[in-house]
Amino acid sequence: MTLTLDTLPGSATDGLTDFRPGFIGLRCGNCNADTPIAPKFVCAQCFGPLRARYDYASVREHMTHASVAARPRTLWRYAELLPVDRVPTDGLSVGCSPLVAAPRLAKHLGLRQLWIKDDSRNPTLSFKDRVVAIAAARARDFSFHTVACASTGNLAAAVAAAAARLGLRAVVLVPADLEVAKVMQAVALGAHVIRVDAPYDAVNRLSLELTDELDGWAVLNVNLRPFYAEGSKTIAFEIAEQLGWRAPDVVVAPLASGSMYTKIAQGVDELAQVGLIERRATRFVGGQAAGCGPIAAAFAAGTDEITPVAVPAGIVRSLAIGSPADGRPALALARSTGGSIEGVEDADVIAAVRLLAATEGILTETAGGVTLAALQQAIRRGTVASDDEVVVVISGNGLKTVDVLAELPRQVIAPTFDAFETYWATLEGPGGHS
Ligand SMILES: *Cc1c(COP(=O)(O)O)cnc(C)c1O
Ligand SMILES: [Zn+2]
């Protein structure tokens, strides 16, 4: 492939001149009652969850392979299937992350064809920039002055950066024991960072109270959730477009609340619905860490009942949600597609992070280790076969969790060849130390 200017990510999101919104309102996932476009997340009739609703017939008419291809390389190129009625001309350049062939890792795993959707390559180094791009744009449309969130780590920086770019105030609440790199990233990007002495679920409940008590505050993953959640569909849109407008046999993704995992499937389904890809059976494999894996535990037990995890344990902080909002639909998706939701041990997470780094040169955070380890388990389980074409979603960058992954070489040497030679002789040889 020749690298030309138009294959580089766009620097800004131009307004799309040919854009006809497909988004028409919100609908209750429980009783199907319709709600006009508003910053609401629960149904006024039954308190069920509100979801974005589209006019697929109109999208089918206006969104074509050619119209998408002609647009800037950001997630706004799929605007007809996003919950907006205009496309922002400012904002960060989010999405269109690379889909990289991973032949060395494929060989190691015994797979025919393996792709890495490297979503660590977003402005704040995680997939959370996608959900925040949509929610922050809508927050401004709805005239909120402050964007807030409860975060397991990556959301904090994504909200901080988006707010800075759009001229909004960012307030992020985080569990006090988060990784330093993630907290510092949000602080450095200018957010008010409030560390709370509690696990994520309690922090999340506190953030919900803020929306009730404080005028002009949008909690992006709570009261703008119907808009926020739709951002994850763009991972599916991009994978399909990057494969030449088709879906793979298997997608592997990590689960915290289960939102991204289920929205990727919804994205694939919508592309088939509007005629941009052919409908085919794709299996969805998910991963959770054993230290906080309520959805994986329910999958293993063969039940729909998700038992909340009161005190999350282990190294995978970005997935540590004890009461996952989308646990049930995630279970249903895994079961109905012939996929699985794997619970993986911390030692396997670290081994998988190292394997990805050593085979493909991609350093991911612990959540990415969960995802790759889930694929390894699914291969052993028989959910994934050697002739499957597999896409693994790597959702965050390894610099955010580097402390659990590697130790600094302890010894420091003098700047002489003698010192080098003496030191080298103490090692087992090239690659012998790690
Ligand atoms: C938030 C997050 C996810 C998934 O979160 P959901 O709540 O399941 O959508 C996955 N990976 C990383 C790195 C994250 O920060
Ligand atoms: Zn309802």
Side-chain angles (χ1 to χ4, degrees), residues 19 29 48 97 115 132 186-187 196 226 243 293-294 341 344 347 429:
F19 170 51
S97 64
W115 302 93
V132 168
V187 171
V196 184
L243 290 176
I341 298 176
V344 302

Side-chain angles (χ1 to χ4, degrees), residues 123 172 418:
V172 310
D418 270 359

Side-chain angles (χ1 to χ4, degrees), residues 28 30-33 43 45-48:
C28 175
N30 185 39
C31 76
N32 285 329
C43 172
Q45 261 89 59
C46 77
F47 299 104

Side-chain angles (χ1 to χ4, degrees), residues 261-275:
Y261 174 75
T262 49
K263 286 290 174 179
I264 292 174
Q266 185 186 322
V268 171
D269 185 75
E270 285 181 344
L271 290 181
Q273 217 172 131
V274 303

